[in-house]
Amino acid sequence: MEQQYPVLIVIIPMFTAMVLTLAGWFKPAVCQPLAVVGLLGSFLSAVATLTKVSAGGVISYRLGGWEPPFGIEYRVDGLNALVLVMVSLVALLVAIFARKPVEKELGNKISNFYTLFVLLVTGLLGMTITGDAFNLYVLLEIAALTSYALLAMGRGRAYMATFNYVILGTIGACFYLFGVGLLLIKTGSLNMVDIGSILPQLAGSQTVLIAFGFLMAGVWIKMALFPFHGWLPNAYTYAPTATSCLVAPLMTKVSVYIMLRIMFTVYSADWIFNVIQWKPVVMILAVVAILMGSFFALAQRDIKRMLTYLIVAEIGYMVGGAWTGTTAGLTGTIYHIMADGLMTVCLFMVIGSVVYRKGKANFESFKDAFQSMPWTMSALIIGGLSMIGVPPTCGFFSKWYLISGAYQSSDYAFIVALLISSLVNAILFIRIVETAFFSATPSEIPDPHSHHEVDYADSPVSMLIPMWVSALALIAMGLYTGEIVTRWIQPILPGGLI
Amino acid sequence: MKVLSLIIALVMGALLTVILDDLPAWGDPNSPANAHVSAYYLENAYEQTHVPNVVTAVLADYRGFDTMFETGVVFVAVIGIMGILRREDDPKSSKKSFKRPPHQPPDPVITGVATRFIVPFMQIFGLYVIAHGHYSPGGGFQGGVILGASIILMAMTGELKSALERMTEDWFIIMTGLGFLIFAGVGLACMFYGGNFLDYSALAPLFGGTPQEAAITARYHAMLWVEIGVGFTVMSSMFAIYSYLASDGWMDRGL
Amino acid sequence: MEWLQINYNYLLVIVLLMIGLWAMIGKNNLVKKCIGMCIFQNAIIMFFISMGAKAGSTIPILNYTKVNGVKTYFTEASMYANPLTQILMLTAIVVGVATLGMALTLVQKIYSEYGTCEEDEILKKIG
């Protein structure tokens, strides 16, 4: 049983999805509890795998019993194990959170929603755990198709936004597939580790270089790095609440993980930073992504849309950190994948609660929110502090590592962009908190003598619990930063970095 | 946008022409893609699985996990399209700007008779393609598509409703899930017998003969079950996608 | 030039990739974008399949001889086309069908929402 944990992470949600379809077709009410149970099982398997990896090193699981590279291999090292735990935790929290918003927004499509929800998580977990380049493509498409359907359930403008996402997402996936094809034609293998062991013999091959370009372009489109980010804000803004809570934190983070996997397992750090000279270009993209994301976020009136632009900026953080070519920068990126997943889900759940109570999430709806929704707003403050990067939340430590990495490799523009972005985040969250706390705008200062009554209407408990778990996880992760970095992240950093 | 897209396409084309020299010659049997992994399949597949059709062997066994999720992709498409398109309210109460054209009930004399004549043969052939996939080109996907096409043919010549009487919405949703469940269930059964997920040789205790023979027989049989599962999903999902798309989600009439 | 006579398959793939990408990004009509998507995916499928071709080979179903009722299968790899790329592309075809179905569903929804499939007109209506 113990050696089956890696595959259980993926197949438990998959079986849950099938049972959900059959059960939900006749009785939609059972869907949400079933989804929570399935994702809980997946989360526990992921935790078990993580402890096993930290005790005994890399786990290789042979699907179908065939030895790699002939069969498909699940290869779990510290990097996957951490991302798996993060993804399954976030999915579990969102599944608990989703009950009320889904009932409200998608009344007659509950069973469809949860089936797709669980399959999306299956796809993301499968992408993270697999060691086979083509298996990754198949699961990428599962995750993509489910997210198209989930995003399009938002109706109205969501259809056009999702259609653009379908087109760009397909271009991204096809670029990835073409890159895999170019690698296959030169190496004859699909197993990532096996390709990685053959590639050094092909040094100087133009095809390998172009293949890298296609793989990177595909992954960048999927994660919405700066020139390819156009689809993201619209698609996420018009989506149903529960969908954006799930898709926004996870899709982009898993794509960043895939980028790291391609860079450091399939290709090598030495080849990327010493042979090809792409680093300056990618750093410029990352810096522009951070600045663009921050400034566009500043211009938004709708808070959900503002957060989607912050995601674009966060992508810049992670890509830039990985491409500094330093151990500190890469540590920061890996740490930030998890930190950003948790803080994005926390903030999106807060926004989701406000949308649930007030109908929409612009500055207007945040008025007096502190009196009516104190717990929700307190979670917003923790999430906001983490986004700004205030200790002891984890946002501070990831920025610390990213900045020290950039300092070592003398990428001063990246440091400046990070600081500007923190400043912008501070302005944004102070503005929200100000509206929520000091409700009245200058033109309508309330008479201090008349008692200003606001109804207490906080979010339902089923929404508050996951929100607070994620908020407390942000602080806990910040407090145990040293532990996480030395125990899990440092052993997996590849050689050849500064 | 037009100019920009043209530039992007041209840049991509130019980048690719750079590597033309570096690619192996077309049809070279010794190129890396044809040598490293694929040669292993051709040389060992029969010995290890007793399936002469190497494509089936690799599809359902060596890379069976991919194929399971491939079935999953079809399943996702059905659930997703149903989630987006399906409408529960009455078609007449729709107040959209877009009006559907008035309905003319079809009167299929020639096509109706021809369809009634063709469909049984198509379905027999579809079953043959699924069942004979171990020895000839075919398998679950191909056979499932043929079976699905036979039902779509009925829906196209007659009415969508008449096809939906034979294959109701309940049925195709259940069958789509069931096919996926058969595939994954075979994998789960392997785990219960102590092997890895989808390691069919773990099912050997179900079959007679020496352990080695039984393992090969188990692989051979499990592949057939898996193909049947795929056939279920593909057949019902093809019709499901057609009926949702053709009726714009109302499920009342076709094109 | 001689090289081209042997390897024109790659050129064909490149041309199709370019057409597909151009149509997906640049075309105004949503259905044409879907067509571009199909062309793009099929170009990649052709790339993989042509990669797996071997001169003078047959389909990857093993041939056999029967001597005294005992079947002996020929298992030389050079006799048969590459099965691996064919399997990968079977998956890619299925994925392509599913993506196309999803895209057409969205086009249908967009059409019933705005009454048109032209992107500029839709953007005008969104405002």
Side-chain angles (χ1 to χ4, degrees):
Chain A
M1 186 61 197
E2 198 178 307
Q3 76 272 15
Q4 306 286 355
Y5 286 142
V7 80
L8 284 180
I9 300 174
V10 179
I11 62 171
I12 289 178
M14 187 186 76
F15 275 103
T16 312
M18 290 176 225
V19 175
L20 273 176
T21 324
L22 300 179
W25 182 249
F26 298 105
K27 200 164 161 48
V30 299
C31 285
Q32 197 257 356
L34 270 175
V36 170
V37 169
L39 292 172
L40 183 67
S42 174
F43 173 63
L44 293 178
S45 318
V47 172
T49 311
L50 179 68
T51 49
K52 219 178 143 204
V53 167
S54 62
V58 178
I59 302 176
S60 166
Y61 183 90
R62 295 170 181 187
L63 286 150
W66 299 106
E67 60 177 315
F70 307 112
I72 294 169
E73 182 196 18
Y74 270 2
R75 207 179 159 75
V76 193
D77 57 16
L79 177 57
N80 312 29
L82 282 174
V83 178
L84 285 171
V85 170
M86 190 277 285
V87 170
S88 51
L89 174 66
V90 168
L92 177 64
L93 293 178
V94 178
I96 298 169
F97 174 85
R99 184 178 188 91
K100 290 282 167 76
V102 171
E103 269 172 16
K104 193 178 174 190
E105 289 172 27
L106 305 166
N108 51 2
K109 289 174 178 171
I110 292 178
S111 81
N112 279 328
F113 175 83
Y114 284 107
T115 310
L116 292 168
F117 182 103
V118 175
L119 276 167
L120 172 58
V121 179
T122 311
L124 293 170
L125 291 168
M127 275 154 85
T128 313
I129 198 171
T130 191
D132 189 278
F134 192 78
N135 191 238
L136 200 158
Y137 168 75
V138 177
L139 284 150
L140 183 88
E141 283 291 1
I142 287 211
L145 282 167
T146 45
S147 61
Y148 302 151
L150 284 171
L151 293 170
M153 282 183 179
R155 313 212 174 122
R157 288 188 64 180
Y159 297 130
M160 195 59 207
T162 313
F163 184 80
N164 285 332
Y165 179 31
V166 172
I167 294 292
L168 267 171
T170 310
I171 294 177
C174 286
F175 274 3
Y176 176 83
L177 181 61
F178 194 63
V180 171
L182 288 174
L183 284 181
L184 179 65
I185 208 170
K186 291 307 278 188
T187 64
S189 179
L190 289 169
N191 186 290
M192 289 183 190
V193 177
D194 194 40
I195 297 175
S197 68
I198 298 173
L199 278 185
Q201 302 157 24
L202 297 167
S205 163
Q206 287 288 319
T207 313
V208 173
L209 182 69
I210 297 286
F212 185 69
F214 272 98
L215 290 171
M216 281 295 127
V219 176
W220 285 339
I221 291 174
K222 278 280 173 192
M223 74 167 82
L225 184 66
F226 154 63
F228 313 114
H229 68 283
W231 58 269
L232 188 141
N234 278 337
Y236 288 4
T237 307
Y238 302 116
T241 305
T243 305
S244 45
C245 284
L246 181 73
V247 176
L250 295 184
M251 275 305 247
T252 48
K253 275 26 141 219
V254 172
S255 308
V256 173
Y257 158 77
I258 293 169
M259 185 187 76
L260 297 182
R261 188 52 82 194
I262 293 169
M263 280 168 70
F264 300 115
T265 302
V266 178
Y267 291 84
S268 65
D270 178 54
W271 186 79
I272 286 169
F273 294 113
N274 298 333
V275 178
I276 59 168
Q277 301 298 329
W278 288 17
K279 191 189 152 187
V281 182
V282 181
M283 287 311 278
I284 290 171
L285 292 185
V287 168
V288 177
I290 295 173
L291 295 178
M292 282 266 303
S294 299
F295 287 127
F296 273 93
L298 211 49
Q300 301 308 320
R301 298 292 301 164
D302 185 300
I303 311 284
K304 199 171 170 189
R305 202 175 171 80
M306 183 196 94
L307 279 183
T308 59
Y309 278 104
L310 286 186
I311 293 176
V312 174
E314 301 283 327
I315 292 299
Y317 288 19
M318 286 179 271
V319 173
W323 279 82
T324 52
T326 58
T327 46
L330 189 57
T331 309
T333 300
I334 296 171
Y335 186 83
H336 198 65
I337 289 178
M338 281 160 309
D340 193 39
L342 284 172
M343 60 198 179
T344 315
V345 80
C346 177
L347 290 171
F348 266 90
M349 285 201 275
V350 170
I351 306 298
S353 305
V354 174
V355 172
Y356 180 74
R357 278 290 181 225
K358 313 248 165 135
K360 53 181 185 258
N362 48 20
F363 281 97
E364 196 71 17
S365 54
F366 272 85
K367 267 186 191 170
D368 282 329
F370 247 106
Q371 276 137 306
S372 56
M373 312 174 80
W375 288 98
T376 313
M377 286 302 124
S378 320
L380 173 82
I381 290 184
I382 298 179
L385 287 180
S386 181
M387 210 76 169
I388 299 164
V390 178
T393 55
C394 52
F396 169 74
F397 297 99
S398 53
K399 269 185 194 149
W400 175 261
Y401 278 109
L402 289 172
I403 289 178
S404 56
Y407 180 72
Q408 279 170 34
S409 64
S410 326
D411 290 302
Y412 299 113
F414 185 60
I415 298 178
V416 172
L418 274 176
L419 293 176
I420 291 178
S421 156
S422 305
L423 199 68
V424 170
N425 287 356
I427 295 171
L428 288 171
F429 283 101
I430 289 171
R431 205 163 62 170
I432 298 174
V433 172
E434 190 191 14
T435 328
F437 205 71
F438 310 103
S439 57
T441 48
S443 59
E444 37 170 322
I445 295 167
D447 184 7
H449 300 295
S450 74
H451 197 60
H452 192 60
E453 275 294 334
V454 180
D455 292 335
Y456 176 84
D458 212 332
S459 334
V461 182
S462 68
M463 295 163 84
L464 276 178
I465 290 174
M467 197 190 298
W468 269 91
V469 170
S470 65
L472 294 177
L474 287 176
I475 298 177
M477 205 178 142
L479 293 177
Y480 288 98
T481 303
E483 178 83 347
I484 293 171
V485 168
T486 49
R487 187 141 170 226
W488 286 304
I489 298 182
Q490 272 173 3
I492 50 175
L493 293 175
L497 296 173
I498 302 166
Chain B
M1 208 63 192
K2 279 227 155 104
V3 182
L4 181 71
S5 64
L6 201 63
I7 293 169
I8 294 173
L10 286 175
V11 167
M12 186 187 68
L15 276 177
L16 284 173
T17 40
V18 171
I19 59 167
L20 279 176
D21 281 334
D22 196 33
L23 295 172
W26 190 18
D28 175 12
N30 298 318
S31 68
N34 292 336
H36 179 45
V37 176
S38 79
Y40 173 88
Y41 294 138
L42 287 166
E43 282 155 10
N44 297 297
Y46 185 73
E47 198 186 312
Q48 289 168 342
T49 62
H50 276 200
V51 176
N53 185 350
V54 184
V55 173
T56 302
V58 182
L59 183 80
D61 196 345
Y62 292 91
R63 297 190 69 84
F65 196 64
D66 267 358
T67 312
M68 189 181 77
F69 278 112
E70 193 182 342
T71 322
V73 167
V74 182
F75 177 74
V76 167
V78 173
I79 303 289
I81 291 173
M82 182 169 91
I84 300 172
L85 271 184
R86 193 165 186 277
R87 307 174 203 229
E88 308 227 312
D89 42 348
D90 186 33
K92 289 180 193 88
S93 68
S94 168
K95 288 186 188 70
K96 285 277 171 229
S97 56
F98 162 64
K99 286 271 182 293
R100 304 174 85 199
H103 184 45
Q104 292 170 326
D107 187 18
V109 179
I110 297 170
T111 51
V113 172
T115 307
R116 238 172 292 159
F117 182 72
I118 292 171
V119 163
F121 289 101
M122 280 179 78
Q123 291 183 341
I124 297 261
F125 183 66
L127 291 174
Y128 161 77
V129 168
I130 293 179
H132 211 251
H134 285 30
Y135 294 96
S136 60
F141 286 99
Q142 297 87 330
V145 167
I146 295 171
L147 287 175
S150 73
I151 305 173
I152 293 176
L153 190 64
M154 288 197 286
M156 284 173 84
T157 50
E159 263 276 32
L160 183 65
K161 269 198 169 153
S162 65
L164 276 171
E165 276 166 19
R166 289 181 173 78
M167 178 108 170
T168 59
E169 203 180 3
D170 284 350
W171 267 111
F172 64 62
I173 295 301
I174 290 171
M175 278 171 77
T176 315
L178 194 69
F180 195 14
L181 198 61
I182 290 173
F183 201 138
V186 172
L188 200 65
C190 302
M191 274 171 80
F192 279 120
Y193 276 93
N196 278 356
F197 190 68
L198 286 173
D199 184 355
Y200 307 140
S201 62
L203 299 173
L206 296 175
F207 301 94
T210 63
Q212 207 166 5
E213 274 173 21
I216 293 172
T217 321
R219 289 188 183 282
Y220 185 91
H221 281 265
M223 263 186 245
L224 184 62
W225 304 336
V226 159
E227 296 275 14
I228 290 170
V230 173
F232 265 104
T233 301
V234 173
M235 173 184 78
S236 41
S237 61
M238 284 303 127
F239 181 58
I241 294 175
Y242 170 81
S243 52
Y244 285 126
L245 277 175
S247 67
D248 198 16
W250 299 113
M251 302 300 274
D252 56 343
R253 58 188 168 92
L255 296 169
Chain C
M1 215 47 221
E2 192 191 351
W3 188 91
L4 260 190
Q5 280 167 5
I6 306 168
N7 289 341
Y8 57 87
N9 63 325
Y10 297 124
L11 269 187
L12 188 69
V13 167
I14 293 172
V15 170
L16 283 177
L17 278 175
M18 284 163 64
I19 294 172
L21 192 65
W22 169 71
M24 274 167 101
I25 304 174
K27 280 288 171 188
N28 193 26
N29 188 304
L30 301 186
V31 179
K32 284 184 185 168
K33 285 190 176 205
C34 292
I35 296 171
M37 195 165 86
C38 273
I39 296 174
F40 195 63
Q41 283 170 335
N42 286 334
I44 294 174
I45 290 169
M46 285 173 73
F47 174 69
F48 271 80
I49 293 297
S50 68
M51 176 202 309
K54 295 175 193 170
S57 65
T58 176
I59 55 169
I61 296 175
L62 302 178
N63 287 329
Y64 60 88
T65 54
K66 223 171 185 175
V67 183
N68 301 329
V70 180
K71 277 185 186 174
T72 318
Y73 283 91
F74 300 111
T75 54
E76 285 90 275
S78 59
M79 283 174 66
Y80 309 102
N82 186 340
L84 183 62
T85 54
Q86 302 194 3
I87 289 142
L88 301 183
M89 285 312 104
L90 189 54
T91 309
I93 290 168
V94 172
V95 168
V97 169
T99 317
L100 184 65
M102 196 64 83
L104 287 176
T105 308
L106 287 167
V107 172
Q108 211 170 60
K109 274 292 181 190
I110 291 167
Y111 187 76
S112 65
E113 191 88 22
Y114 304 107
T116 174
C117 280
E118 304 291 328
E119 197 177 4
D120 51 355
E121 290 174 25
I122 294 167
L123 291 178
K124 222 178 277 167
K125 286 196 180 178
I126 290 174

